[in-house]
Amino acid sequence: MTISTSMTLSSPHSSSNSLSFKRFLVLLLAGGILLSVAYALVHLYAMGEYAIAIVTLILGLSSAYLLYDQAATGWRFIYPAMVLVFLLMLFPIVYSVTIAFTNYSSKNLLTYERTVSYLLEQTYAEKAERLRFSLHAVGEQHQLFLKDKHGNQFATAPFNLPDKPKDDELAQLMELPLQATSESPPNEALKMRDVIKVRSALKQLRLTREGEAPLSMLGMREFLPLLPQYEVASDTNLPLPDRSTDLLLDKQSNRYLQANYDTGFFAYLDEKGDFTDDIVTPGFVTQVGFANFLDVFGMAEERWALLKITLWTISFAFLTVLMQFSLGMLLASILNWHRIKGQRILRTLLIVPFAVPGFISIMIFRAMFNTDFGEVNALLEYLFGVKLDWYYNPWLAKLQVLLVNLWLGFPYFMLLCMGMLKSIPEDLYEAANMDGAGTWYKLRYITLPMIIKPIVPLLILSFTFNFNNFNVIFLLTAGGPMMENVSAQIGDTQLLIHYIYGLVKGHTLGYEAYGLGSALSAYLFLFIASISLWQFWLTREKTKSREAVEV
């Protein structure tokens, strides 16, 4: 009895210790998360990744709070799903829209501060002060002798040539002091073929003179002084007194530059202090407001091409869904007919296009539609004596894309319709047969009304998918053939998603226009969302009206 009482009395104390230890581990984990977030924020801020820093801060604080607050235990189970939705859906959308309001591109990649720092690091060679050199071997070392245009001679101490950098390493500059000398070289200069062999090592040398600019190798026989090309304009040399101090002076041309925040480039100024079209690269990222959204429609030549692409994108998505659903519905009805023998074998064969990886089927069709050696043209030539330019005629290329996409997608709708047709009561068809109803009547008043409610969301989903169907056209026609009378690289079979891809990859405009591509992506998102919401609303209204009639 005593032992039992002792055990009973010690159980709460043991349980309390266990809970305290678990609480300590939870708080320790929350503290570790906060420390990790603080460490990450410092590095992200130093790198200029402010958006990622904000996301890291939000996720870190929310994770630590859920661990700290015992009342939020229920949220811990749904929190991972919310994080995934935020990271994979909401954050990319917000980040893309944010980029759309900037001039972010391959021409404007750096921040303003980094651009200024880069320009201040640039140098130019002063060709008026060139010094001819000769290279001499001194044992296992080498020595340089130089002469300027006045006949003054300079020499370095004997030195070892720097090692050639590896492919993944930057060349390390080697500074050598240069002294005036009247001594003659110790031996004959190396021949040109020997100088060429060590040219890469000589280009890594920087020859320094007291009070003079460092010298760098130019050509095969000369060293020239490298002077800073740009410097920050001081208050004493400003061209106009009302200009701010963010001007730069080009010392080579003695012209002034100023940051143009509308374009994101440093532009040269004219005599009046106005910006000219002469700019220097790289540019910097700046806010441009709605300029990208307006530029989408402001390009003269590309405007009509973009309109054609938009119409083709809508037509492609609509026709694809219509053709795939129609063929799938037809095959499902045939396979659902009790008089058809071997339904399992036919069903298995018709599912094969859905089972084979899509890119394999596309590459096979690409070879089959080859103009000169494809099986399709061989069959057409044998039967009708014609050969079609599937890849050079815009309309034939579009027809080819629709046919291949039909092959890839009809098994999906066939399987859906087969399942839905099985769910329709046979009594409805028997009653229709007794009333003498035909096939079209049964399809219109029995089959379609019974499957329309569950199939419409899937049709909308398929329409949305094909609106952004990238792989089929990219692998089959690569967007071609190219449109005529358009300066940009735009194809007749391109969808809007391919046009955006061309913008951000530099194929369309010649440079990677991330901001413009993000603006067009925002338009695309709003268009698809509007169509989807409208179709869902229309389906709901039809369902309500049908239920009202039945009542």
Side-chain angles (χ1 to χ4, degrees):
M1 181 68 65
T2 303
I3 296 175
S4 176
T5 303
S6 175
M7 293 178 62
T8 304
L9 293 175
S10 62
S11 295
H13 181 70
S14 176
S15 176
S16 176
N17 290 336
S18 177
L19 291 175
S20 299
F21 181 71
K22 291 181 179 178
R23 183 63 176 167
F24 172 75
L25 291 179
V26 170
L27 293 178
L28 185 63
L29 179 59
I33 292 176
L34 292 177
L35 289 177
S36 301
V37 169
Y39 177 80
L41 288 177
V42 173
H43 286 272
L44 290 172
Y45 182 82
M47 296 168 59
E49 299 292 344
Y50 305 118
I52 301 178
I54 294 174
V55 172
T56 303
L57 179 62
I58 294 174
L59 295 180
L61 292 179
S62 59
S63 301
Y65 175 77
L66 289 178
L67 290 174
Y68 173 77
D69 191 359
Q70 294 180 341
T73 303
W75 287 93
R76 298 174 186 173
F77 299 96
I78 196 174
Y79 180 73
M82 295 174 62
V83 170
L84 289 177
V85 170
F86 177 77
L87 292 179
L88 300 181
M89 294 180 61
L90 298 180
F91 178 70
I93 293 174
V94 174
Y95 192 69
S96 298
V97 172
T98 303
I99 292 177
F101 289 94
T102 69
N103 64 339
Y104 187 45
S105 67
S106 58
K107 295 181 178 180
N108 305 83
L109 282 174
L110 306 178
T111 62
Y112 173 81
E113 293 77 10
R114 184 67 187 91
T115 301
V116 174
S117 177
Y118 174 83
L119 292 178
L120 294 179
E121 294 173 357
Q122 301 308 299
T123 58
Y124 71 97
E126 182 55 64
K127 296 183 179 180
E129 300 181 14
R130 61 184 65 191
L131 286 82
R132 295 186 63 83
F133 76 91
S134 60
L135 183 64
H136 303 264
V138 182
E140 295 183 356
Q141 295 181 317
H142 293 78
Q143 188 176 14
L144 282 170
F145 282 80
L146 298 89
K147 283 187 178 182
D148 61 14
K149 60 183 179 180
H150 303 293
N152 300 320
Q153 182 173 263
F154 304 89
T156 65
F159 62 92
N160 293 317
L161 290 173
D163 296 331
K164 183 178 180 180
K166 298 180 180 179
D167 295 336
D168 56 346
E169 294 181 353
L170 296 176
Q172 299 295 327
L173 299 181
M174 177 179 177
E175 291 189 359
L176 290 175
L178 200 61
Q179 302 292 337
T181 181
S182 59
E183 298 180 0
S184 301
N187 48 39
E188 292 185 0
L190 296 180
K191 297 183 180 299
M192 180 59 68
R193 61 173 178 269
D194 299 318
V195 176
I196 293 176
K197 293 179 182 179
V198 295
R199 178 180 56 180
S200 60
L202 293 177
K203 286 185 175 294
Q204 296 177 236
L205 300 179
R206 290 295 180 268
L207 308 183
T208 59
R209 295 178 295 173
E210 187 175 354
E212 300 287 345
L215 303 176
S216 179
M217 181 182 175
L218 182 67
M220 299 305 300
R221 282 301 187 187
E222 294 176 334
F223 271 80
L224 281 75
L226 293 178
L227 303 177
Q229 183 168 359
Y230 303 102
E231 68 176 15
V232 177
S234 62
D235 296 335
T236 59
N237 61 4
L238 289 178
L240 294 175
D242 59 339
R243 287 290 183 180
S244 60
T245 55
D246 61 346
L247 272 77
L248 297 180
L249 173 62
D250 187 344
K251 299 178 66 176
Q252 186 176 11
S253 61
N254 199 29
R255 299 173 62 191
Y256 288 91
L257 308 90
Q258 189 176 28
N260 187 342
Y261 293 96
D262 294 332
T263 61
F265 291 98
F266 273 87
Y268 285 94
L269 303 177
D270 58 17
E271 296 178 354
K272 297 180 180 180
D274 298 326
F275 289 115
T276 66
D277 295 333
D278 193 4
I279 62 174
V280 294
T281 56
F284 54 91
V285 179
T286 183
Q287 298 292 328
V288 295
F290 291 92
N292 287 323
F293 294 91
L294 299 177
D295 287 344
V296 171
F297 306 102
M299 297 178 291
E301 293 182 349
E302 287 76 9
R303 185 188 303 135
W304 299 110
L306 184 60
L307 178 60
K308 292 176 63 177
I309 291 175
T310 303
L311 294 177
W312 161 238
T313 302
I314 298 173
S315 302
F316 170 79
F318 177 77
L319 292 176
T320 294
V321 174
L322 178 63
M323 294 167 62
Q324 290 179 352
F325 173 71
S326 300
L327 182 58
M329 182 67 183
L330 176 62
L331 295 176
S333 301
I334 294 175
L335 293 176
N336 200 42
W337 192 18
H338 65 277
R339 295 185 180 181
I340 298 296
K341 305 299 181 182
Q343 292 186 6
R344 293 183 178 179
I345 298 176
L346 293 175
R347 189 183 303 117
T348 302
L349 293 176
L350 291 174
I351 293 177
V352 169
F354 197 58
V356 177
F359 75 94
I360 294 179
S361 299
I362 294 172
M363 299 309 292
I364 292 175
F365 275 109
R366 182 174 181 176
M368 291 177 61
F369 280 99
N370 185 279
T371 303
D372 299 318
F373 309 105
E375 287 79 3
V376 174
N377 266 358
L379 180 61
L380 291 176
E381 187 176 18
Y382 176 77
L383 295 176
F384 307 105
V386 296
K387 292 178 67 174
L388 302 179
D389 293 331
W390 294 100
Y391 293 100
Y392 303 101
N393 186 296
W395 295 105
L396 291 177
K398 293 177 180 179
L399 177 61
Q400 174 193 179
V401 169
L402 290 172
L403 292 176
V404 173
N405 210 28
L406 172 63
W407 169 266
L408 295 174
F410 82 86
Y412 169 74
F413 283 101
M414 185 188 70
L415 293 176
L416 290 177
C417 294
M418 286 176 61
M420 294 179 182
L421 291 176
K422 291 289 185 182
S423 64
I424 300 176
E426 291 291 336
D427 298 343
L428 298 177
Y429 292 106
E430 293 177 359
N433 291 331
M434 293 177 63
D435 292 338
T439 303
W440 171 249
Y441 185 91
K442 289 185 287 185
L443 175 65
R444 181 179 179 183
Y445 293 100
I446 298 178
T447 305
L448 291 180
M450 294 296 292
I451 70 172
I452 192 64
K453 188 175 181 179
I455 200 67
V456 164
L458 299 176
L459 293 175
I460 296 174
L461 182 63
S462 180
F463 177 86
T464 305
F465 171 78
N466 285 286
F467 203 89
N468 292 321
N469 196 336
F470 183 85
N471 291 337
V472 174
I473 295 177
F474 184 78
L475 295 176
L476 189 62
T477 65
M482 293 294 110
M483 293 184 182
E484 298 179 355
N485 302 322
V486 178
S487 58
Q489 295 294 319
I490 304 175
D492 279 292
T493 58
Q494 283 186 357
L495 304 181
L496 285 173
I497 190 66
H498 299 100
Y499 183 75
I500 296 173
Y501 176 80
L503 287 176
V504 300
K505 292 296 290 184
H507 301 157
T508 302
L509 300 179
Y511 66 95
E512 299 167 358
Y514 302 114
L516 193 60
S518 298
L520 189 55
S521 298
Y523 280 127
L524 189 62
F525 171 77
L526 292 176
F527 182 78
I528 295 176
S530 301
I531 291 179
S532 300
L533 291 176
W534 175 75
Q535 288 183 330
F536 276 120
W537 175 83
L538 189 63
T539 303
R540 185 180 62 180
E541 292 299 319
K542 287 185 176 180
T543 303
K544 288 183 179 180
S545 61
R546 189 181 301 112
E547 292 176 352
V549 171
E550 292 176 356
V551 173

